[in-house]
């Protein structure tokens, strides 16, 4: 089994080298957008990397000064984006021609050389050297634990330009043997369903809530600070706005790491072999979330995914259609079942918190999608605070106390 980590490292780039990096990023984005446009030119969208390579490689090499590996990386980005569009169409969702605008570029071992305290990066005009800007080496940091560890192999990186900084997101991995003694996920385990939202960042099918109050408080606070600084319009104010952005991101990452740790602990404590989230693709449109919330949802999913993998727990996404409108008790689906945070089934009368009901439905959707009937390690139920829901939505009390009313007698834990 592979354990993967991504370590962000700030780079110290002088002004002349920054110009070269910006030119390289611009050409990389142009290449990726050129390939996506070509993929959409025919009667069908082309998603094959081999076909796109044959059709566009020479054109991109002629029109840019990119390294050959950068051309291939841009093609891969385009192909993956086109596959995502086709997938949405098959699900009946709207999607249009992808466009790459965020300043970034992909590096591998042909285009980047990783040193102990610096990195050499290929550009459109030779290579540049940039020093790492690292925290105190004695601190327990991801840089020391993963990037500078002999146990981990550096596989590549993505360079991003954000808030006036060049940030290198370094990808590391190591092979590990599955240690069943550390895994709290028995064969034929259960599913932990997780619903994401604005008022509650995450709600588990076990009835545990992680509210968005702290996230929203600090988001408003940082927005106010930026607004006050923007009124000045000075260079000093601009630098302080960037500093506020870095503090905001750092605070939110700490919060999301805490929630992800608790979600994985929740799954382990209840013997879950799978954590099921709703598909995050259109979550902003479905929930009315801000861009900040969407960033938080995606980052939380990534944190849970790699942390759960250490314990042999799989993290999956399921189609979110009607999970907030469907009754987890009887299956009746109607828009009027949900009123704000409250859920009351118009058919059977089941009442509970709407996000908790949705979390159970997300778990049930994964369970039904993956039930084989063979018992070959497939999850057998959706984990509740007490007992489980089986694939038919029927409540199974805990084996040690079958007389308990379990989920039917409890409200979610807030």
């Amino acid at each position: 089994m592979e354990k993967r980590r991504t370590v962000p490292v700030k780079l110290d780039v002088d002004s002349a080298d920054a110009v070269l990096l910006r030119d390289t990023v611009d050409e990389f984005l142009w290449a990726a957008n050129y390939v996506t446009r070509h993929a959409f030119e025919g009667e069908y969208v082309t998603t094959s990397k081999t076909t796109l390579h044959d059709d566009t490689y020479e054109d991109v090499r002629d029109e840019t000064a990119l390294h050959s590996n950068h051309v291939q990386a841009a093609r891969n980005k385009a192909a993956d984006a086109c596959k995502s569009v086709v997938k949405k169409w098959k699900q009946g969702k709207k999607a249009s021609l992808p466009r790459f605008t965020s300043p970034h570029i992909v590096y591998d071992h042909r285009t980047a050389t990783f040193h102990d305290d610096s990195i050499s990066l290929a550009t459109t005009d030779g290579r540049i050297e940039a020093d790492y800007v690292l925290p105190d080496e004695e601190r327990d940091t991801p840089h020391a634990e993963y990037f500078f560890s002999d146990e981990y192999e550096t596989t590549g990186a993505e360079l991003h330009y954000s808030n006036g900084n060049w940030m290198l997101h370094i990808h590391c991995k190591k092979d590990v043997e599955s240690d069943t003694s550390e895994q709290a996920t028995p064969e034929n385990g259960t599913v932990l369903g997780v619903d994401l939202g604005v008022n509650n960042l995450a709600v588990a099918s076990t009835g545990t809530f992680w509210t968005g109050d702290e996230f929203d408080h600090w988001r408003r606070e940082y927005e106010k600070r930026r607004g006050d600084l923007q009124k000045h319009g000075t260079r000093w104010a601009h630098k302080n706005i960037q500093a506020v952005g870095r503090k905001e991101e750092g605070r939110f990452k700490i919060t999301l790491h805490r929630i992800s740790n608790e979600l994985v602990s929740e799954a382990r404590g209840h013997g879950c072999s799978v954590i099921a989230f709703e598909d995050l693709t259109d979550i902003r449109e479905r929930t009315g979330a801000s861009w900040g919330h969407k960033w938080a949802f995606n980052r939380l999913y990534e944190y849970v995914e790699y942390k759960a993998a250490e314990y042999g727990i799989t993290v999956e996404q399921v189609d979110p259609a009607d999970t907030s409108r469907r009754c987890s008790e009887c299956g009746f689906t109607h828009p009027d079942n949900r009123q704000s945070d409250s859920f009351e089934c118009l058919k059977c009368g089941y009442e509970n918190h709407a996000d908790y009901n949705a979390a159970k439905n997300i778990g049930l959707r994964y369970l039904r999608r993956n039930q084989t009937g063979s018992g070959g390690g497939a999850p057998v139920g959706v984990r509740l605070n007490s007992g489980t829901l089986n694939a038919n939505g029927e409540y199974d009390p805990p084996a040690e106390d079958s007389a308990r009313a379990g989920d039917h007698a409890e409200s979610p834990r807030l």
Side-chain angles (χ1 to χ4, degrees), residues 299-336:
R299 188 57 63 94
L300 178 62
Y301 179 86
E302 292 171 2
Y303 290 168
V304 172
E305 186 176 36
Y306 81 72
K307 291 176 181 181
E310 296 185 37
Y311 303 102
I313 301 173
T314 302
V315 180
E316 301 284 351
Q317 296 185 27
V318 301
D319 184 355
D322 292 325
T323 51
S324 65
R325 302 173 176 179
R326 180 187 184 278
C327 178
S328 58
E329 294 287 296
C330 71
F332 178 70
T333 303
H334 194 281
D336 293 339

Side-chain angles (χ1 to χ4, degrees), residues 2-277:
E2 285 186 353
K3 182 186 291 187
R4 294 179 178 271
R5 295 292 184 269
T6 297
V7 181
V9 177
K10 183 179 178 181
L11 299 183
D12 183 9
V13 181
D14 65 36
S15 56
D17 289 342
V19 171
L20 288 176
L21 286 179
R22 281 194 289 269
D23 288 344
T24 308
V25 166
D26 287 344
E27 295 207 352
F28 181 84
L29 296 179
W30 181 91
N33 287 320
Y34 175 83
V35 176
T36 56
R37 288 195 300 271
H38 176 83
F40 273 69
E41 285 178 354
E43 183 178 357
Y44 301 100
V45 176
T46 304
T47 59
S48 167
K49 292 179 181 179
T50 301
T51 302
L52 290 173
H53 174 86
D54 293 341
D55 292 349
T56 65
Y57 179 79
E58 294 298 334
D59 290 344
V60 174
R61 288 305 303 272
D62 289 342
E63 294 293 331
T64 70
L66 291 172
H67 189 284
S68 61
N69 284 56
H70 279 155
V71 175
Q72 295 174 38
R75 176 210 64 212
N76 291 342
K77 279 274 185 180
D80 290 341
C82 291
K83 288 179 181 177
S84 178
V85 168
V86 172
K87 180 181 178 181
K88 289 182 181 179
W89 286 348
K90 291 180 177 179
Q91 295 172 345
K93 300 177 181 178
K94 294 182 179 180
S96 57
L97 173 72
R99 179 164 175 77
F100 298 94
T101 58
S102 176
H104 74 284
I105 186 170
V106 178
Y107 279 93
D108 60 18
H109 282 289
R110 294 286 300 278
T111 50
T113 304
F114 298 87
H115 302 298
D116 289 341
D117 53 7
S118 65
I119 189 169
S120 171
L121 299 171
T123 72
T124 52
D125 187 16
R127 282 181 171 258
I128 63 117
E129 293 278 343
D131 291 335
Y132 305 135
V133 180
L134 299 170
D136 186 346
E137 292 183 2
E138 295 185 2
R139 290 175 55 192
D140 183 17
T141 66
H143 312 86
E145 188 174 356
Y146 307 122
F147 181 38
F148 295 119
S149 170
D150 292 336
E151 297 181 2
Y152 280 83
E153 171 192 358
T154 301
T155 59
E158 276 198 15
L159 180 66
H160 293 256
Y161 185 73
S162 176
N163 296 322
N165 295 313
W166 290 100
M167 297 296 299
L168 193 68
H169 294 200
I170 302 173
H171 305 313
C172 307
K173 74 170 185 177
K174 75 172 182 178
D175 294 324
V176 295
E177 294 183 3
S178 297
D179 185 355
T180 55
S181 66
E182 293 187 5
Q183 297 179 12
T185 55
E187 185 178 0
N188 289 351
T190 53
V191 181
L192 182 73
V194 180
D195 179 66
L196 302 177
V198 176
N199 294 331
N200 296 298
L201 285 181
V203 178
S205 58
T206 50
T208 302
F209 281 56
W210 290 268
T211 70
D213 294 345
E214 181 182 0
F215 181 90
D216 288 338
H217 166 75
W218 284 109
R219 184 168 60 86
R220 290 191 297 268
E221 178 67 22
Y222 285 119
E223 285 178 354
K224 182 179 182 299
R225 292 182 189 179
R226 279 192 291 267
D228 292 341
L229 289 168
Q230 285 173 346
K231 293 177 183 177
H232 295 283
T234 63
R235 185 174 181 180
W236 170 87
H238 178 69
K239 288 184 177 180
N240 276 274
I241 288 173
Q242 294 176 341
V244 168
R246 291 191 293 271
K247 290 179 181 178
E248 179 182 29
E249 183 174 352
R251 178 180 289 275
F252 289 161
K253 284 182 177 179
I254 291 173
T255 300
L256 295 172
H257 271 298
R258 174 181 60 79
I259 295 175
S260 64
N261 286 335
E262 292 174 0
L263 266 169
V264 173
S265 178
E266 188 85 358
R268 294 184 66 203
H270 286 87
C272 299
S273 57
V274 176
I275 302 174
F277 287 81

